[in-house]
Each structure stands twice: as structure tokens, then as C-alpha cells.
Amino acid sequence: MRDLTIPGERHPEKAHRPDQEQPRKPAWIRVKAPTSEGYRETARIMREHRLTTVCEEAGCPNVGECWGQGHATMMIMGEICTRGCTFCNVATGRPSALDAFEPGRVADAVAKLGLSHVVVTSVDRDDLSDGGAEHFAMTIRAIRRRSPATTIEVLVPDFLKCGPEALEVVLAARPDVFNHNLETVPGLYPEVRPGARYFHSLRLLQRTKEIWPGAFTKSGIMVGLGEDRQGVLQVMDDMRAADVDFLTIGQYLQPSPKHHRVDRFVTPEEFADYEQAARGKGFLMVSASPLTRSSYHAGDDFAKLRAAREAKLA
């Protein structure tokens, strides 16, 4: 039985890697430890429903703020991923079988938390013929039945080893936002995201709009991994060519000495420059800051995204 609290068992694929220096975080990155009553209540509901959250598994720095407001990003299909991305803190290995009752438990937790907007993500499940697409669809439908007024955002894997119908299954369930992160510039994929393919991920986003032109699409990258400004601007252009509506950019933070090193801490001024550039390229919505993550302030941002489209159409 693996103990996922032990780094060597959590990330066996990284055990052989040399330790990478973890630089001291600048003042604009530091956050307070979570202590609020809202945080404790969210944690209680997650444990009561036996749910996994990416907030915990990925070590998100915003967990105190988000959980304090009752916002948690559900991570379905288990806590063990079939990929071994060098930036990611989610455990790697052979996952367990899918839990058929999980969609219902997610829906119950959403109702108990009273969420107006929920983000549902997952581990990569390359062991499944559909990559978990039907499980995503079942979860969307369960939330719709239990909380019909709640808007639903899915942050999906790349379905790299599946047929094209996997994407169609998720979209048929009609999530309000379809999110798939490119994570970094294409030149860093062999080191940072070795199990993925940049242009496959880009094509997934493009196909979403081809299948469902009215969909809201979203994608994000991390900076501070070793990319340069021109590379980030090129990713923006690629996303716009795929008609992506919403871009997020956040600072990469190194989970452990065995993970990919932090190349540098990008300043708030540089993030502001990236945001201005992205808006100039036509994104309907941009969130770019050191602490930005895919689901950070997702509900408020979705309302702004919808308003931006309405204004554009008007």
C-alpha cells in the first residue's frame, strides 16, 4: 500500500532526479496559512463526501482564500495520475478503478457548499479507453440535476490516447466553460510535460469550437519555467488562432526539490505587460498575476467572460 505522504512514493518517477535548488519566494508570492472557519467547513464537506481536490493535491497557494469562501476545485477519477509532468505535485502511478458513485457525491458537495460556479478537473487517465470522458459527462449531468442554477467549468486532460469521440462526449454534456491548459511553451514540453503534445492540446481547444461554436473556451500557462517573452506571445497567438476566449497566466512554484526548478520569479509588472498584450490580441478575458491559477476566482471571471461576449456581440 503506497503512502502518498512520502515524496518517494508519491512521485516514484522523480526519485532518481537530482535535487533542484528552491529559491526563496519574493514578497508578492507569499500567502498566509489557512485558518478561517470557512476553510475548515469546506475541508469538512470534502472529507465527508470522500472527495479529492486539486487545491490540496497540487499544493495550490490560494487554498486558504478559496476554501475560506467555500470554493473548492473537485478532482475526479482518483488522486493518482498516469502522467509524470515534472512541474506537477499530483501523485503518479497506476490509478484505481473508477468510482461510479463519485459524480453523485460531487453533486451533493456542490449543493451543500451552495456554489454558484464549480470547477471540475481530473487526473490523466491514460488507462481508460475514453480517458474518463464519460465520467466527466456523468459528473456534469449529476451537478445539473442537483444544482440546476450552478454554472459548471471543466478542466479536462488532453485525451491524447483516445479517439476523437472522447471530446464529443464531454461537450455533449454542455459544460458552461471548457478549459484545457497548454501549461507552457512548446519548446519546454519534452522536459516539463513529456507525456503530452503541444499541438494536440491546441487542436483539442480548436476542435471544441468547431464542434460547438458557442462554447466558452479557456486555457492557461505557467511562467518562470525557462520560457522567454517571445515564446509566451507566440502561445497567445496560437491560442487566438484556436479561438480561445479566456487566458490565464500564473507563476510556476516548485513543489519539491525533485520537481522542475523555478527559472525565475516573474514580477507583477511583467504580468501586467502580459495581460495588456493578451487583451490586445483579442482574448475576451485575461487573468495574469503571480498567484493566478486556472480556477482562481473562476466564478467571478466567468461572469466577466459572459459579459464581455455579450458586449462584443452587441
Side-chain angles (χ1 to χ4, degrees):
M1 186 77 176
R2 289 173 65 184
D3 183 348
L4 299 185
T5 64
I6 300 173
E9 294 192 25
R10 186 176 183 84
H11 301 291
E13 82 291 352
K14 296 180 176 68
H16 69 282
R17 291 169 59 90
D19 285 358
Q20 303 285 341
E21 181 184 356
Q22 293 181 281
R24 181 176 173 80
K25 295 174 185 175
W28 63 79
I29 287 288
R30 295 171 203 160
V31 295
K32 294 180 180 179
T35 57
S36 72
E37 183 57 40
Y39 172 87
R40 288 190 288 272
E41 177 61 12
T42 301
R44 185 191 67 76
I45 291 172
M46 293 301 103
R47 299 294 83 79
E48 178 185 311
H49 290 77
R50 305 192 312 281
L51 296 175
T52 304
T53 70
V54 74
C55 321
E56 297 168 288
E57 298 302 317
C60 180
N62 303 314
V63 64
E65 177 185 348
C66 295
W67 282 32
Q69 299 168 4
H71 299 158
T73 298
M74 315 293 179
M75 191 170 83
I76 59 175
M77 298 193 280
E79 59 185 351
I80 298 177
C81 186
T82 54
R83 304 276 177 92
C85 299
T86 60
F87 68 86
C88 185
N89 197 42
V90 174
T92 304
R94 180 177 295 177
S96 302
L98 292 180
D99 179 353
F101 298 101
E102 183 179 53
R105 295 202 308 276
V106 170
D108 286 345
V110 169
K112 275 194 177 177
L113 290 166
L115 298 181
S116 58
H117 184 86
V118 62
V119 181
V120 179
T121 188
S122 78
V123 291
D124 274 287
R125 291 298 302 258
D126 292 326
D127 58 313
L128 302 174
S129 61
D130 71 344
E134 180 58 33
H135 202 77
F136 260 106
M138 289 171 59
T139 303
I140 294 168
R141 291 193 293 265
I143 295 170
R144 289 264 186 257
R145 286 193 297 269
R146 191 83 163 79
S147 304
T150 299
T151 51
I152 302 169
E153 180 172 329
V154 292
L155 172 54
V156 302
D158 59 13
F159 302 123
L160 180 62
K161 300 183 179 181
C162 310
E165 63 278 1
L167 174 62
E168 295 162 14
V169 166
V170 176
L171 295 180
R174 286 297 190 259
D176 295 281
V177 181
F178 180 90
N179 186 355
H180 173 65
N181 286 333
L182 295 185
E183 305 292 10
T184 187
V185 300
L188 289 176
Y189 262 55
E191 168 60 23
V192 174
R193 206 177 173 219
R197 302 293 179 267
Y198 177 80
F199 289 104
H200 173 87
S201 285
L202 195 63
R203 179 66 181 140
L204 191 77
L205 292 159
Q206 185 180 44
R207 281 191 63 231
T208 297
K209 280 294 182 71
E210 291 172 357
I211 295 167
W212 180 16
F216 285 106
T217 52
K218 179 176 176 180
S219 189
I221 61 169
M222 300 167 288
V223 289
L225 285 159
E227 73 295 323
D228 59 22
R229 185 176 187 276
Q230 188 54 47
V232 173
L233 296 180
Q234 183 60 60
V235 170
M236 291 182 192
D237 288 337
D238 292 344
M239 286 187 187
R240 287 303 301 133
D243 202 16
V244 171
D245 299 303
F246 186 172
L247 168 66
T248 62
I249 308 177
Q251 170 70 51
Y252 166 63
L253 298 177
Q254 186 179 342
S256 81
K258 297 295 184 184
H259 285 77
H260 192 283
R261 67 182 180 86
V262 174
D263 179 71
R264 70 188 187 96
F265 289 107
V266 178
T267 67
E269 291 74 22
E270 290 175 277
F271 277 104
D273 175 69
Y274 281 141
E275 179 171 349
Q276 184 177 12
R279 291 190 182 279
K281 292 177 183 292
F283 288 95
L284 288 178
M285 182 72 194
V286 183
S287 178
S289 74
L291 291 175
T292 289
R293 297 296 182 268
S294 287
S295 54
Y296 189 45
H297 296 164
D300 292 340
D301 285 346
F302 174 60
K304 294 174 186 175
L305 177 63
R306 192 159 45 183
R309 176 178 285 181
E310 290 171 356
K312 183 178 180 180
L313 293 174

